[in-house]
Every structure is written in C-alpha cells, then in structure tokens.
C-alpha cells in the first residue's frame, strides 16, 4: 500500500465514480466484482479508438507517465516512487530515456584541454 498524490482531474473522476458506485470498487465489472484484466484491455481499446491513443497497450500509458515525469526534471527516485518500483534501477533501465547530449561530461572534460 502506498499513497499517491493525483492530478486534480484524476481525483475528480475518482470522487465522482465513488459517489456513483454500486459496489466497493470504483471501477467494478458489470456484476460488481473486480474486472478481468483482458476484458478491461478490450474496453480500453474501444474507448481510445479514433483518438491519439489508439493502438497503445495500457502499459504504454505507464511509460508515458514516466517519460513526462522524466522530461519535467523529476529524479529517478521520485519517478520510481510514483510508479511503485522498489529499485530505482528498474525505473531507469525500463522507463527512462538516456540523455544523449552529455553536456555536463563535456564541460568537465574541458579541464583536459591541452
């Protein structure tokens, strides 16, 4: 269990869903139980059809979040905490892109100038 701070728009959706809920789950199946993952993926594909998200696997959204947090300058530890990874290396290896500029390293190596 962990606590996440959500963007206001997501919190509004969850509060609205909870207020209208007919079961203990915020996003229940049609019978009020937990959703089957494959059925959920199928429903997501239908919802995103015709949008810029069409064709993306649900797990891709997780990568999108990590990329946005990385580009906003959050540390690998902050991103790992948000995604729920125990190992920062998992976040860095799988979810974060490598920066190719190397400007900081080049600045240090300027000290070697003959």
């Amino acid at each position: 269990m962990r606590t996440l701070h959500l963007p206001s728009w997501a919190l509004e959706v969850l509060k609205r869903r909870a207020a209208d809920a007919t079961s203990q789950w915020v996003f229940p199946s049609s019978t009020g139980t937990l959703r089957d993952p494959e059925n959920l993926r199928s429903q997501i594909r239908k919802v995103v059809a015709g949008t810029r998200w069409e064709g993306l696997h649900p797990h891709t959204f997780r990568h999108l979040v990590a990329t946005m947090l990385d580009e906003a300058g959050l540390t690998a530890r902050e991103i790992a905490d948000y995604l729920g990874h125990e190992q920062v290396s998992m976040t860095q290896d799988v979810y974060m892109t490598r920066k190719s500029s190397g400007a900081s390293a080049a600045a240090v190596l300027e000290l070697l100038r003959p």
Side-chain angles (χ1 to χ4, degrees):
M1 296 292 283
R2 59 196 171 95
T3 300
L4 286 177
H5 294 271
L6 299 175
S8 60
W9 60 266
L11 195 54
E12 289 167 12
V13 169
L14 290 173
K15 285 180 178 180
R16 197 168 49 246
R17 293 284 306 200
D20 296 339
T22 57
S23 79
Q24 68 184 34
W25 309 110
V26 178
F27 295 98
S29 69
S30 59
T31 60
T33 60
L34 286 174
R35 290 177 181 259
D36 174 81
E38 188 53 43
N39 290 343
L40 179 60
R41 282 189 284 276
S42 175
Q43 290 171 329
I44 290 172
R45 279 192 296 274
K46 289 176 187 174
V47 169
V48 299
T51 72
R52 65 183 177 158
W53 309 113
E54 185 170 12
L56 294 180
H57 187 276
H59 197 76
T60 305
F61 290 106
R62 191 170 166 80
H63 284 269
L64 173 64
V65 167
T67 299
M68 290 180 70
L69 298 177
D70 185 23
E71 289 175 352
L74 275 71
T75 66
R77 172 81 270 162
E78 290 172 310
I79 297 170
D81 288 346
Y82 203 81
L83 296 177
H85 295 153
E86 290 186 24
Q87 301 295 321
V88 175
S89 59
M90 164 65 136
T91 308
Q92 291 172 311
D93 294 345
V94 177
Y95 291 88
M96 297 177 75
T97 59
R98 294 202 110 160
K99 310 295 188 273
S100 61
S101 67
S104 299
V108 171
L109 295 176
E110 281 297 326
L111 298 172
L112 297 175
R113 185 182 197 121

